[in-house]
């Protein structure tokens, strides 16, 4: 498996350096994912920021800048760089009329929700509970966080409270 990952990294690296096209951009994004998967978080974040700076697409810039912010916060524990990356996303959304449809709250809540589920999967229920609560303070209609928090309550024996939160999550997002 490690050899296949290395081969993927080599291919994406070669394409992202030699092609001047959408293929280059897609390859650079994949290379950043491979770097992150291999534990090269600094390299992945730097590449995501490089993509954001060189892209002419607002969506690509926002996605890659957001990705860098996520890596800085959750993999490198660098809140300063994470805040800087998210501030650049906020600026794009504020000044680009084509980006007005992007809800900045999504970019602030999504990584924390993912982090909460990561904590949950690792059995860190107290920390996960706190993270889900923080998400719900920012977005009271986040169905996934209602469900995640509800499951934790059920595991803690608070069946009625847990069931109520899960039901609320399903009502918010039935599909």
């Amino acid at each position: 498996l490690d050899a296949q990952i290395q081969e993927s990294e080599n291919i994406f690296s070669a394409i992202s350096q030699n092609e001047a096209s959408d293929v280059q951009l897609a390859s650079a994004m994949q290379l950043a994912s491979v770097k992150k998967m291999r534990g090269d978080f600094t390299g992945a974040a730097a590449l995501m920021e490089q993509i954001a700076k060189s892209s002419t697409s607002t969506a690509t810039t926002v996605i890659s800048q957001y990705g860098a912010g996520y890596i800085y916060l959750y993999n490198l524990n660098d809140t300063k760089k994470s805040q800087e990356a998210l501030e650049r996303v906020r600026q794009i959304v504020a000044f680009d009329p084509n980006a007005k449809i992007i809800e900045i709250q999504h970019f602030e809540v999504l990584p924390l929700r993912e982090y909460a589920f990561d904590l949950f999967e690792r059995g860190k229920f107290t920390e996960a509970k706190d993270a889900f609560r923080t998400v719900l303070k920012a977005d009271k209609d986040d169905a996934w966080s209602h469900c995640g928090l509800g499951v934790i309550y059920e595991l803690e024996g608070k069946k009625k409270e847990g069931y109520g939160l899960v039901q609320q999550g399903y009502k918010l997002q039935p599909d």
Side-chain angles (χ1 to χ4, degrees), residues 92-107:
I92 293 166
V93 171
F95 296 111
D96 187 333
N98 296 321
K100 293 289 183 194
I101 59 169
I102 301 170
E103 293 183 31
I104 190 62
Q105 187 176 24
H106 172 76
F107 289 100

Side-chain angles (χ1 to χ4, degrees), residues 71-88:
I71 293 168
Y72 284 132
L73 184 61
Y74 295 111
N75 299 116
L76 297 172
N77 298 315
D78 189 334
T79 54
K80 183 177 185 274
K81 282 192 174 184
S82 177
Q83 288 171 348
E84 289 169 358
L86 289 176
E87 183 55 34
R88 286 189 286 276

